[in-house]
Amino acid sequence: MSSKESIVNFLKLCERVLHVSRKPGRSEFINVAKVTGIGIIIIGAVGFVVSIIAQLVGNG
């Protein structure tokens, strides 16, 4: 398969994805934003706890 054929195939796949995709509604967007925010807060809290534990173990 040549480089040109692979680029054409990739563009066809991109066109297909864009054709199938749709804009989310307001409620769906708000739900995704909430879940994402909660995930960021949880990951930050875990990182904070690990950082505190590492400082306590390092000084002890």
Side-chain angles (χ1 to χ4, degrees):
M1 185 186 291
S2 72
S3 176
K4 185 177 179 181
E5 288 176 346
S6 63
I7 292 173
V8 170
N9 286 337
F10 175 72
L11 291 175
K12 285 181 182 179
L13 287 172
C14 290
E15 182 182 10
R16 180 173 171 243
V17 168
L18 290 174
H19 182 71
V20 171
S21 63
R22 62 175 175 77
K23 184 177 178 181
R26 181 173 173 81
S27 63
E28 184 179 2
F29 178 79
I30 289 173
N31 284 339
V32 170
K34 285 179 185 177
V35 169
T36 303
I38 290 170
I40 290 171
I41 290 171
I42 290 172
I43 290 172
V46 169
F48 180 74
V49 169
V50 168
S51 173
I52 295 295
I53 291 172
Q55 288 180 3
L56 291 175
V57 170
N59 291 335

